[in-house]
Amino acid sequence: MNKFSSTFLLIALCFNIACEEQRKGLFLERGIAFYDQKKYKESELEIKSAIQEDPSLSEPYFYMALLNEKAKKYKAMRANLQEAVKLDPENIKAKLKLSKVLLLFNDIENALKEVDSILLKTPEDLDALAVKSSILIRQKKEDEALTKDSNFL
């Protein structure tokens, strides 16, 4: 192989890598855009491709959970939210949604764990406080729930 051929191959390889970096995240971007436009079937295809492209990202799992919610597939929603939280434990939106779904499945202990972890970081989060109050009511701790409610009113 002469010097020209090896230089050409190196340039082609660099160009290919640069193009892949530009494309990375495109599935997720398009999936979110379709979701915002209420084109859920198209969004689902793009989000699934985003998960295949990089299964270590939390956001595609979160959006897949939102799509599951629209389709009333709550078990799949729970699984996708759990994966989103596992991949990014700081994802407050996913944790809050997960706590609500866990409450729906009557998994009080895990719902409480998720909502308490949110309240440790953001004690004034009204949605998290509302979920916490709902959990306390389910646990027959109405007085404590009312105290929580009066704290954020």
Side-chain angles (χ1 to χ4, degrees):
M1 191 181 276
N2 64 26
K3 190 174 186 176
F4 176 75
S5 296
S6 60
T7 303
F8 178 75
L9 275 173
L10 183 61
I11 290 171
L13 182 63
C14 289
F15 180 75
N16 188 37
I17 291 170
C19 287
E20 278 194 34
E21 282 302 312
Q22 276 186 325
R23 283 193 304 251
K24 197 167 190 156
L26 194 57
F27 291 121
L28 179 59
E29 192 177 305
R30 287 193 309 232
I32 292 171
F34 282 135
Y35 181 85
D36 291 341
Q37 297 167 10
K38 297 179 178 18
K39 295 180 177 179
Y40 301 125
K41 293 281 185 204
E42 294 90 340
S43 177
E44 184 176 356
L45 290 173
E46 295 295 327
I47 298 295
K48 283 181 178 179
S49 296
I51 290 171
Q52 287 179 341
E53 179 182 56
D54 190 351
S56 68
L57 293 177
S58 172
E59 196 172 15
Y61 288 99
F62 178 72
Y63 275 93
M64 187 55 75
L66 296 180
L67 290 165
N68 295 145
E69 182 178 30
K70 295 287 182 194
K72 296 179 176 34
K73 297 177 180 175
Y74 299 113
K75 286 182 181 179
M77 180 185 180
R78 177 180 56 187
N80 281 309
L81 287 169
Q82 287 170 327
E83 188 65 22
V85 169
K86 183 176 105 182
L87 293 170
D88 181 9
E90 301 301 312
N91 188 336
I92 300 296
K93 290 188 303 184
K95 281 182 165 249
L96 185 60
K97 270 265 190 225
L98 179 58
S99 68
K100 291 176 183 179
V101 172
L102 292 170
L103 189 57
L104 176 71
F105 281 98
N106 210 28
D107 187 352
I108 305 297
E109 186 179 315
N110 286 317
L112 187 59
K113 185 183 103 187
E114 293 299 338
V115 81
D116 280 344
S117 73
I118 295 168
L119 291 170
L120 280 173
K121 292 182 174 82
T122 55
E124 303 300 316
D125 187 312
L126 295 179
D127 288 330
L129 287 167
V131 173
K132 173 88 178 217
S133 292
S134 295
I135 292 169
L136 292 170
I137 289 169
R138 288 247 182 121
Q139 293 176 324
K140 308 281 189 237
K141 298 178 182 176
E142 289 86 0
D143 291 339
E144 194 176 339
L146 291 173
T147 305
K148 292 274 183 217
D149 284 341
S150 65
N151 286 342
F152 69 86
L153 290 178

